[in-house]
Amino acid sequence: MEFSVGFNENSAKKIKNVIFVERTVRVNFENGPSIPFEDCWLRDHCRCTQCYHANTFQRAKHILELPDSKILTLQFDKNSLTIEWDDKHTTEFTADFLSQFDYKTWKNNRRLKPRLWRGCNVADRIAKVHVDKFLDSDDSSKEVFQSLLDYGVAFITGVQPSAEATETVCKALGGIQHTIFGATWEFTTVADHADTAYTNLPLAAHNDNIYWTEAAGLQILHCIEHTNGTGGETILVDGFYGATCLKEDHPEDYEFLTTYEIEGEYIENRHHFTHSAPVIQIDKNTEDIKQIRFNVYDRSAMAFRSGRDCRLYYRSLKNLARYYENKENQWIFKLVPGLVMVIDNFRLLHGRNGFTGRRVLCGAYVSRSDWLDKARSLNLIQ
Ligand SMILES: [Fe+2]
Ligand SMILES: [Zn+2]
Protein backbone atom coordinates (compact mmCIF):
# COMPACT_ATOMS: atom_id res chain seq x y z
CA MET A 1 0.00 0.00 0.00
CA GLU A 2 1.16 3.54 -0.72
CA PHE A 3 0.60 6.58 1.48
CA SER A 4 1.46 10.26 1.00
CA VAL A 5 3.38 12.18 3.64
CA GLY A 6 1.04 14.00 6.04
CA PHE A 7 0.79 17.77 5.88
CA ASN A 8 2.25 18.12 9.40
CA GLU A 9 5.62 17.01 8.13
CA ASN A 10 5.90 19.73 5.49
CA SER A 11 3.60 22.30 6.99
CA ALA A 12 5.39 25.50 5.96
CA LYS A 13 3.68 25.65 2.57
CA LYS A 14 4.14 28.86 0.52
CA ILE A 15 1.79 30.08 -2.17
CA LYS A 16 3.45 30.36 -5.60
CA ASN A 17 0.51 31.79 -7.54
CA VAL A 18 -3.27 31.87 -7.73
CA ILE A 19 -5.38 31.37 -10.87
CA PHE A 20 -9.04 32.42 -10.82
CA VAL A 21 -11.31 31.04 -13.58
CA GLU A 22 -15.12 31.47 -13.47
CA ARG A 23 -15.93 30.43 -9.87
CA THR A 24 -12.86 28.28 -9.15
CA VAL A 25 -9.69 29.54 -7.43
CA ARG A 26 -6.68 27.34 -8.12
CA VAL A 27 -3.91 27.82 -5.56
CA ASN A 28 -0.48 26.59 -6.64
CA PHE A 29 1.98 26.02 -3.80
CA GLU A 30 5.75 26.11 -4.13
CA ASN A 31 6.86 22.50 -4.72
CA GLY A 32 3.17 21.48 -5.04
CA PRO A 33 0.34 20.78 -4.53
CA SER A 34 -2.04 22.60 -6.88
CA ILE A 35 -5.49 22.73 -5.29
CA PRO A 36 -8.73 23.98 -6.89
CA PHE A 37 -11.22 25.64 -4.49
CA GLU A 38 -14.82 26.47 -5.41
CA ASP A 39 -15.99 29.89 -4.25
CA CYS A 40 -18.82 28.34 -2.16
CA TRP A 41 -16.21 26.26 -0.27
CA LEU A 42 -14.01 29.32 0.29
CA ARG A 43 -16.91 31.30 1.72
CA ASP A 44 -18.05 28.40 3.92
CA HIS A 45 -14.53 27.98 5.33
CA CYS A 46 -14.09 31.67 6.23
CA ARG A 47 -12.50 31.73 9.69
CA CYS A 48 -13.54 35.29 10.67
CA THR A 49 -15.38 35.71 14.00
CA GLN A 50 -18.78 36.11 12.26
CA CYS A 51 -18.37 32.83 10.38
CA TYR A 52 -16.50 30.61 12.88
CA HIS A 53 -16.32 30.17 16.65
CA ALA A 54 -12.59 29.62 17.11
CA ASN A 55 -13.05 28.69 20.79
CA THR A 56 -15.47 25.79 20.09
CA PHE A 57 -14.11 24.87 16.62
CA GLN A 58 -17.64 25.11 15.21
CA ARG A 59 -19.15 26.92 12.28
CA ALA A 60 -21.26 29.88 13.38
CA LYS A 61 -23.85 29.80 10.61
CA HIS A 62 -26.49 27.47 9.25
CA ILE A 63 -25.75 26.26 5.72
CA LEU A 64 -28.90 28.07 4.49
CA GLU A 65 -27.36 31.38 5.68
CA LEU A 66 -24.36 30.81 3.42
CA PRO A 67 -24.67 33.56 0.77
CA ASP A 68 -24.15 32.75 -2.88
CA SER A 69 -21.75 35.68 -3.11
CA LYS A 70 -19.09 36.18 -5.75
CA ILE A 71 -15.43 37.05 -5.47
CA LEU A 72 -14.62 40.73 -6.24
CA THR A 73 -10.86 40.74 -5.64
CA LEU A 74 -8.14 38.27 -4.72
CA GLN A 75 -4.82 39.18 -3.15
CA PHE A 76 -2.08 36.82 -2.11
CA ASP A 77 1.46 36.67 -0.84
CA LYS A 78 3.57 33.63 0.07
CA ASN A 79 1.75 33.06 3.36
CA SER A 80 -1.85 34.16 2.81
CA LEU A 81 -4.77 34.64 0.46
CA THR A 82 -7.29 37.46 0.99
CA ILE A 83 -10.70 37.48 -0.70
CA GLU A 84 -13.09 40.41 -0.94
CA TRP A 85 -16.66 39.31 -1.61
CA ASP A 86 -19.41 41.22 -3.45
CA ASP A 87 -21.50 41.41 -0.23
CA LYS A 88 -18.83 43.46 1.59
CA HIS A 89 -17.33 40.50 3.46
CA THR A 90 -13.59 39.81 3.64
CA THR A 91 -11.97 36.39 4.16
CA GLU A 92 -8.33 35.74 4.91
CA PHE A 93 -6.76 32.29 4.68
CA THR A 94 -3.27 31.23 5.69
CA ALA A 95 -1.31 29.18 3.16
CA ASP A 96 -0.93 26.45 5.78
CA PHE A 97 -4.69 26.12 6.22
CA LEU A 98 -5.41 25.88 2.50
CA SER A 99 -2.58 23.46 1.80
CA GLN A 100 -4.30 20.76 3.91
CA PHE A 101 -7.11 20.28 1.39
CA ASP A 102 -5.37 18.47 -1.42
CA TYR A 103 -7.93 15.63 -1.70
CA LYS A 104 -5.51 12.73 -2.11
CA THR A 105 -3.31 13.75 0.82
CA TRP A 106 -6.31 14.70 2.96
CA LYS A 107 -7.94 11.32 2.40
CA ASN A 108 -4.73 9.34 2.84
CA ASN A 109 -3.94 11.12 6.12
CA ARG A 110 -7.24 9.82 7.46
CA ARG A 111 -6.62 6.23 6.44
CA LEU A 112 -5.69 3.77 9.14
CA LYS A 113 -2.66 1.71 8.25
CA PRO A 114 -3.09 -1.70 9.87
CA ARG A 115 -0.14 -4.08 9.66
CA LEU A 116 -1.52 -7.44 8.60
CA TRP A 117 -0.35 -10.42 10.64
CA ARG A 118 0.49 -12.32 7.42
CA GLY A 119 2.68 -14.97 9.04
CA CYS A 120 4.50 -12.51 11.33
CA ASN A 121 5.08 -13.48 14.93
CA VAL A 122 2.62 -10.99 16.33
CA ALA A 123 3.39 -11.97 19.95
CA ASP A 124 6.83 -10.34 19.62
CA ARG A 125 5.51 -7.15 18.04
CA ILE A 126 2.59 -6.03 20.18
CA ALA A 127 2.76 -3.66 23.17
CA LYS A 128 3.02 -5.21 26.63
CA VAL A 129 2.86 -2.26 29.00
CA HIS A 130 2.76 -2.25 32.80
CA VAL A 131 -0.48 -0.82 34.16
CA ASP A 132 1.27 1.90 36.22
CA LYS A 133 3.07 3.21 33.14
CA PHE A 134 -0.08 2.96 31.00
CA LEU A 135 -2.08 5.01 33.50
CA ASP A 136 0.64 7.62 34.18
CA SER A 137 2.54 8.30 30.99
CA ASP A 138 1.47 9.54 27.56
CA ASP A 139 4.37 7.69 25.92
CA SER A 140 3.29 4.35 27.37
CA SER A 141 -0.31 5.10 26.49
CA LYS A 142 0.80 5.84 22.91
CA GLU A 143 2.55 2.47 22.79
CA VAL A 144 -0.71 0.69 23.67
CA PHE A 145 -2.87 2.59 21.18
CA GLN A 146 -0.28 2.28 18.40
CA SER A 147 -0.24 -1.48 18.95
CA LEU A 148 -4.05 -1.54 18.68
CA LEU A 149 -3.90 0.49 15.46
CA ASP A 150 -1.11 -1.64 13.97
CA TYR A 151 -1.96 -5.16 15.11
CA GLY A 152 -5.42 -4.89 16.73
CA VAL A 153 -4.17 -6.13 20.11
CA ALA A 154 -2.25 -4.89 23.17
CA PHE A 155 -1.52 -6.26 26.65
CA ILE A 156 -1.59 -4.38 29.95
CA THR A 157 0.45 -6.25 32.57
CA GLY A 158 0.69 -6.17 36.36
CA VAL A 159 -3.05 -5.55 36.87
CA GLN A 160 -4.60 -6.66 40.17
CA PRO A 161 -6.83 -9.70 39.48
CA SER A 162 -10.04 -7.87 40.36
CA ALA A 163 -13.00 -6.34 38.51
CA GLU A 164 -12.17 -2.88 39.98
CA ALA A 165 -8.57 -2.85 38.72
CA THR A 166 -9.72 -4.06 35.29
CA GLU A 167 -12.34 -1.31 35.19
CA THR A 168 -9.66 1.34 35.78
CA VAL A 169 -7.79 0.03 32.71
CA CYS A 170 -11.01 0.07 30.62
CA LYS A 171 -11.68 3.69 31.57
CA ALA A 172 -8.18 4.70 30.45
CA LEU A 173 -8.76 2.98 27.11
CA GLY A 174 -11.58 5.41 26.32
CA GLY A 175 -14.42 4.70 28.75
CA ILE A 176 -16.79 1.80 29.15
CA GLN A 177 -19.52 1.04 26.58
CA HIS A 178 -22.71 0.25 28.50
CA THR A 179 -24.62 -2.76 27.12
CA ILE A 180 -27.16 -5.36 28.28
CA PHE A 181 -24.15 -7.38 29.47
CA GLY A 182 -23.45 -4.63 32.01
CA ALA A 183 -20.82 -1.90 32.12
CA THR A 184 -18.15 -4.34 33.17
CA TRP A 185 -18.94 -8.01 33.38
CA GLU A 186 -17.59 -10.86 35.40
CA PHE A 187 -18.50 -14.35 34.29
CA THR A 188 -18.01 -17.98 35.08
CA THR A 189 -19.95 -20.93 33.73
CA VAL A 190 -22.92 -19.81 35.84
CA ALA A 191 -25.01 -18.22 33.09
CA ASP A 192 -26.39 -14.71 33.56
CA HIS A 193 -27.08 -14.49 29.82
CA ALA A 194 -28.27 -16.95 27.17
CA ASP A 195 -24.92 -16.99 25.34
CA THR A 196 -22.37 -19.75 24.66
CA ALA A 197 -19.66 -17.52 26.16
CA TYR A 198 -21.21 -18.30 29.55
CA THR A 199 -20.41 -22.04 29.29
CA ASN A 200 -17.19 -24.08 29.26
CA LEU A 201 -17.64 -25.12 25.60
CA PRO A 202 -15.07 -24.27 22.92
CA LEU A 203 -15.81 -21.11 20.91
CA ALA A 204 -14.61 -20.76 17.31
CA ALA A 205 -13.05 -17.42 16.35
CA HIS A 206 -15.69 -14.71 15.96
CA ASN A 207 -16.41 -11.00 16.27
CA ASP A 208 -18.78 -9.92 19.03
CA ASN A 209 -22.09 -8.10 18.53
CA ILE A 210 -22.80 -8.53 14.82
CA TYR A 211 -26.45 -7.99 15.87
CA TRP A 212 -25.83 -4.36 16.98
CA THR A 213 -25.83 -1.28 14.76
CA GLU A 214 -22.41 -0.54 16.22
CA ALA A 215 -20.50 -3.55 17.48
CA ALA A 216 -18.19 -3.02 20.45
CA GLY A 217 -14.99 -1.23 19.47
CA LEU A 218 -12.57 -2.83 21.91
CA GLN A 219 -13.01 -5.94 23.93
CA ILE A 220 -11.09 -6.11 27.19
CA LEU A 221 -10.66 -9.49 28.88
CA HIS A 222 -8.95 -10.38 32.14
CA CYS A 223 -8.88 -13.96 33.43
CA ILE A 224 -8.86 -13.33 37.16
CA GLU A 225 -9.03 -16.99 38.19
CA HIS A 226 -8.62 -20.46 36.68
CA THR A 227 -8.38 -23.22 39.28
CA ASN A 228 -8.87 -26.99 39.40
CA GLY A 229 -8.83 -27.41 35.64
CA THR A 230 -7.12 -27.03 32.27
CA GLY A 231 -7.79 -25.59 28.80
CA GLY A 232 -9.50 -22.30 28.00
CA GLU A 233 -6.66 -21.04 25.78
CA THR A 234 -7.50 -17.85 23.89
CA ILE A 235 -7.50 -17.91 20.06
CA LEU A 236 -6.90 -14.67 18.12
CA VAL A 237 -7.03 -14.22 14.34
CA ASP A 238 -6.47 -11.15 12.15
CA GLY A 239 -9.83 -10.71 10.40
CA PHE A 240 -8.37 -8.22 7.90
CA TYR A 241 -5.69 -10.67 6.81
CA GLY A 242 -8.24 -13.43 6.16
CA ALA A 243 -10.42 -11.03 4.16
CA THR A 244 -7.37 -9.91 2.16
CA CYS A 245 -6.59 -13.56 1.33
CA LEU A 246 -10.21 -14.10 0.26
CA LYS A 247 -9.96 -11.08 -2.08
CA GLU A 248 -6.89 -12.58 -3.73
CA ASP A 249 -8.05 -16.19 -3.93
CA HIS A 250 -11.84 -15.87 -4.34
CA PRO A 251 -12.68 -12.39 -5.71
CA GLU A 252 -16.32 -13.28 -6.37
CA ASP A 253 -16.80 -14.34 -2.72
CA TYR A 254 -15.08 -11.15 -1.55
CA GLU A 255 -17.42 -9.09 -3.72
CA PHE A 256 -20.44 -10.91 -2.21
CA LEU A 257 -19.33 -10.48 1.41
CA THR A 258 -18.53 -6.78 0.91
CA THR A 259 -21.97 -6.03 -0.54
CA TYR A 260 -24.62 -8.54 0.58
CA GLU A 261 -26.39 -7.66 3.83
CA ILE A 262 -26.27 -10.57 6.27
CA GLU A 263 -28.36 -10.45 9.42
CA GLY A 264 -27.09 -11.11 12.93
CA GLU A 265 -29.38 -11.81 15.89
CA TYR A 266 -29.31 -12.05 19.69
CA ILE A 267 -32.30 -13.19 21.71
CA GLU A 268 -32.77 -13.61 25.43
CA ASN A 269 -35.55 -12.88 27.87
CA ARG A 270 -36.98 -9.40 26.97
CA HIS A 271 -34.18 -8.66 24.49
CA HIS A 272 -34.16 -9.13 20.73
CA PHE A 273 -31.41 -7.49 18.68
CA THR A 274 -30.96 -7.75 14.91
CA HIS A 275 -28.72 -5.91 12.47
CA SER A 276 -28.00 -6.46 8.77
CA ALA A 277 -24.75 -5.45 7.11
CA PRO A 278 -22.04 -6.92 4.90
CA VAL A 279 -19.61 -9.23 6.72
CA ILE A 280 -16.65 -7.32 5.28
CA GLN A 281 -17.14 -3.55 5.47
CA ILE A 282 -15.03 -1.49 3.09
CA ASP A 283 -14.38 2.23 2.66
CA LYS A 284 -16.07 3.20 -0.61
CA ASN A 285 -13.34 5.69 -1.58
CA THR A 286 -10.19 3.78 -0.70
CA GLU A 287 -11.49 0.20 -0.72
CA ASP A 288 -9.67 -0.28 2.62
CA ILE A 289 -11.25 -2.90 4.88
CA LYS A 290 -12.93 -1.10 7.80
CA GLN A 291 -14.64 -3.84 9.78
CA ILE A 292 -15.25 -7.59 9.91
CA ARG A 293 -18.60 -8.87 11.22
CA PHE A 294 -17.95 -12.61 11.31
CA ASN A 295 -19.83 -14.77 13.78
CA VAL A 296 -21.04 -18.20 12.74
CA TYR A 297 -23.21 -18.56 15.84
CA ASP A 298 -25.12 -15.27 15.70
CA ARG A 299 -26.26 -15.50 12.05
CA SER A 300 -30.05 -15.22 11.99
CA ALA A 301 -32.37 -17.30 9.78
CA MET A 302 -32.69 -15.41 6.49
CA ALA A 303 -34.66 -15.36 3.26
CA PHE A 304 -32.65 -14.90 0.04
CA ARG A 305 -33.29 -12.87 -3.11
CA SER A 306 -32.31 -15.84 -5.29
CA GLY A 307 -30.93 -19.35 -5.20
CA ARG A 308 -27.64 -17.99 -6.50
CA ASP A 309 -27.34 -15.58 -3.54
CA CYS A 310 -28.17 -18.38 -1.12
CA ARG A 311 -25.42 -20.59 -2.57
CA LEU A 312 -22.95 -17.68 -2.61
CA TYR A 313 -23.71 -17.04 1.07
CA TYR A 314 -22.60 -20.57 2.04
CA ARG A 315 -19.64 -20.73 -0.32
CA SER A 316 -18.20 -17.33 0.61
CA LEU A 317 -18.67 -17.70 4.37
CA LYS A 318 -17.05 -21.16 4.29
CA ASN A 319 -14.15 -19.90 2.19
CA LEU A 320 -13.59 -16.98 4.60
CA ALA A 321 -13.95 -19.28 7.63
CA ARG A 322 -11.17 -21.54 6.29
CA TYR A 323 -8.61 -18.72 6.72
CA TYR A 324 -9.88 -18.01 10.22
CA GLU A 325 -9.80 -21.68 11.24
CA ASN A 326 -6.35 -22.29 9.71
CA LYS A 327 -4.00 -22.84 12.67
CA GLU A 328 -1.22 -21.01 10.78
CA ASN A 329 -3.26 -17.81 11.05
CA GLN A 330 -4.20 -18.24 14.71
CA TRP A 331 -2.34 -17.04 17.77
CA ILE A 332 -3.18 -19.31 20.71
CA PHE A 333 -2.08 -18.51 24.25
CA LYS A 334 -3.37 -18.63 27.79
CA LEU A 335 -4.70 -15.62 29.65
CA VAL A 336 -3.42 -15.48 33.22
CA PRO A 337 -4.37 -13.32 36.22
CA GLY A 338 -2.63 -9.93 35.96
CA LEU A 339 -2.65 -9.83 32.16
CA VAL A 340 -5.36 -7.69 30.56
CA MET A 341 -5.93 -8.40 26.87
CA VAL A 342 -7.28 -5.57 24.71
CA ILE A 343 -8.49 -6.40 21.20
CA ASP A 344 -10.01 -4.41 18.32
CA ASN A 345 -13.38 -6.12 17.78
CA PHE A 346 -13.77 -4.42 14.36
CA ARG A 347 -10.70 -6.33 13.16
CA LEU A 348 -9.67 -9.29 15.29
CA LEU A 349 -11.67 -12.46 15.82
CA HIS A 350 -11.40 -14.17 19.19
CA GLY A 351 -12.28 -17.62 20.41
CA ARG A 352 -11.28 -20.07 23.12
CA ASN A 353 -10.68 -23.75 23.71
CA GLY A 354 -13.06 -25.64 25.98
CA PHE A 355 -11.95 -25.89 29.60
CA THR A 356 -12.47 -27.61 32.91
CA GLY A 357 -12.38 -26.20 36.42
CA ARG A 358 -13.43 -22.82 37.74
CA ARG A 359 -12.55 -20.01 35.36
CA VAL A 360 -13.55 -16.41 36.10
CA LEU A 361 -13.24 -13.74 33.44
CA CYS A 362 -13.99 -10.07 33.73
CA GLY A 363 -13.89 -7.30 31.20
CA ALA A 364 -15.78 -4.62 29.32
CA TYR A 365 -16.32 -3.07 25.94
CA VAL A 366 -15.09 0.35 24.77
CA SER A 367 -16.82 1.97 21.79
CA ARG A 368 -14.79 2.56 18.65
CA SER A 369 -15.49 6.31 18.73
CA ASP A 370 -14.11 6.47 22.26
CA TRP A 371 -10.85 4.59 21.70
CA LEU A 372 -10.13 6.34 18.41
CA ASP A 373 -10.74 9.64 20.22
CA LYS A 374 -7.93 8.68 22.63
CA ALA A 375 -5.64 7.69 19.76
CA ARG A 376 -6.40 10.97 17.94
CA SER A 377 -5.84 13.06 21.08
CA LEU A 378 -2.41 11.40 21.38
CA ASN A 379 -1.70 12.47 17.76
CA LEU A 380 -1.47 8.90 16.50
CA ILE A 381 -4.16 9.41 13.84
CA GLN A 382 -5.97 12.35 12.19
FE1 LIG B 1 -16.91 -13.24 22.08
ZN1 LIG C 1 -16.35 35.38 7.49
Side-chain angles (χ1 to χ4, degrees):
M1 273 186 257
E2 162 195 286
F3 298 103
S4 303
V5 176
F7 71 88
N8 286 332
E9 288 152 60
N10 50 4
S11 57
K13 283 286 181 196
K14 306 280 185 216
I15 295 174
K16 188 165 76 181
N17 60 43
V18 174
I19 299 160
F20 181 34
V21 180
E22 293 188 3
R23 301 191 73 168
T24 307
V25 177
R26 180 171 285 279
V27 181
N28 294 310
F29 293 88
E30 284 176 15
N31 305 315
S34 168
I35 310 176
F37 296 97
E38 299 307 309
D39 60 1
C40 50
W41 186 98
L42 290 163
R43 184 57 184 260
D44 183 37
H45 288 75
C46 180
R47 274 358 190 195
C48 81
T49 52
Q50 287 170 47
C51 298
Y52 192 69
H53 295 308
N55 50 344
T56 64
F57 304 96
Q58 286 176 300
R59 285 181 167 83
K61 290 188 169 148
H62 194 283
I63 195 163
L64 292 176
E65 291 177 274
L66 192 64
D68 187 28
S69 44
K70 296 201 171 64
I71 293 172
L72 277 185
T73 66
L74 276 171
Q75 282 180 307
F76 72 93
D77 58 31
K78 278 182 183 316
N79 299 311
S80 67
L81 169 70
T82 306
I83 299 170
E84 230 186 287
W85 301 91
D86 65 358
D87 61 343
K88 296 189 170 58
H89 199 79
T90 304
T91 298
E92 191 178 333
F93 291 112
T94 64
D96 263 0
F97 177 78
L98 291 176
S99 69
Q100 298 169 47
F101 298 100
D102 177 27
Y103 179 76
K104 198 169 163 229
T105 312
W106 181 85
K107 186 72 198 165
N108 275 344
N109 285 340
R110 279 157 177 74
R111 287 169 81 174
L112 299 180
K113 296 146 183 98
R115 293 164 183 253
L116 297 185
W117 289 13
R118 203 187 288 276
C120 80
N121 193 354
V122 71
D124 296 338
R125 302 197 182 190
I126 65 159
K128 298 168 196 90
V129 173
H130 192 276
V131 62
D132 295 343
K133 285 190 173 164
F134 173 59
L135 296 176
D136 291 344
S137 120
D138 269 4
D139 282 346
S140 298
S141 206
K142 277 184 185 176
E143 220 185 300
V144 169
F145 285 103
Q146 192 63 56
S147 184
L148 287 169
L149 291 164
D150 288 344
Y151 299 106
V153 52
F155 286 163
I156 314 292
T157 61
V159 183
Q160 285 296 314
S162 71
E164 296 72 34
T166 311
E167 192 175 324
T168 305
V169 171
C170 297
K171 284 182 178 161
L173 286 161
I176 289 160
Q177 183 175 353
H178 291 251
T179 75
I180 61 155
F181 303 108
T184 53
W185 62 74
E186 189 172 324
F187 66 85
T188 61
T189 49
V190 183
D192 296 321
H193 294 279
D195 194 279
T196 324
Y198 294 79
T199 66
N200 62 357
L201 297 170
L203 282 173
H206 62 272
N207 302 109
D208 277 6
N209 327 129
I210 66 163
Y211 40 78
W212 287 344
T213 49
E214 190 182 291
L218 295 179
Q219 181 169 55
I220 293 99
L221 278 176
H222 188 184
C223 178
I224 56 178
E225 185 190 332
H226 189 186
T227 46
N228 301 322
T230 56
E233 293 82 4
T234 292
I235 302 161
L236 296 183
V237 191
D238 183 356
F240 286 7
Y241 177 57
T244 305
C245 293
L246 185 78
K247 187 180 184 181
E248 283 165 19
D249 301 339
H250 305 283
E252 196 188 9
D253 292 357
Y254 183 81
E255 165 72 19
F256 181 78
L257 291 182
T258 54
T259 51
Y260 203 88
E261 302 224 325
I262 289 176
E263 191 175 270
E265 178 173 70
Y266 181 85
I267 302 170
E268 67 169 67
N269 185 29
R270 292 189 167 273
H271 291 289
H272 189 168
F273 295 100
T274 67
H275 181 60
S276 291
V279 169
I280 304 169
Q281 309 263 322
I282 53 172
D283 180 300
K284 288 186 183 68
N285 288 312
T286 61
E287 297 186 4
D288 290 343
I289 298 168
K290 291 197 302 188
Q291 184 187 3
I292 307 293
R293 299 171 64 259
F294 184 89
N295 190 316
V296 290
Y297 308 112
D298 294 340
R299 293 173 300 122
S300 64
M302 274 178 69
F304 284 90
R305 208 160 36 195
S306 67
R308 180 181 177 272
D309 284 350
C310 178
R311 296 206 167 272
L312 267 173
Y313 168 93
Y314 289 103
R315 190 185 79 191
S316 58
L317 281 180
K318 283 183 178 184
N319 277 334
L320 182 59
R322 286 189 184 102
Y323 300 106
Y324 296 150
E325 287 302 308
N326 183 341
K327 288 278 180 283
E328 283 177 22
N329 296 331
Q330 295 183 339
W331 177 24
I332 301 175
F333 58 94
K334 197 150 164 131
L335 289 173
V336 290
L339 179 75
V340 169
M341 177 182 82
V342 187
I343 55 173
D344 175 357
N345 182 53
F346 273 44
R347 173 177 173 189
L348 257 56
L349 283 66
H350 63 280
R352 64 140 195 258
N353 289 333
F355 63 91
T356 56
R358 178 180 155 80
R359 186 169 181 261
V360 184
L361 277 165
C362 71
Y365 292 134
V366 173
S367 83
R368 184 164 177 86
S369 294
D370 286 339
W371 81 265
L372 290 184
D373 163 52
K374 286 272 181 185
R376 203 172 290 109
S377 302
L378 291 164
N379 290 318
L380 299 177
I381 53 170
Q382 287 192 23

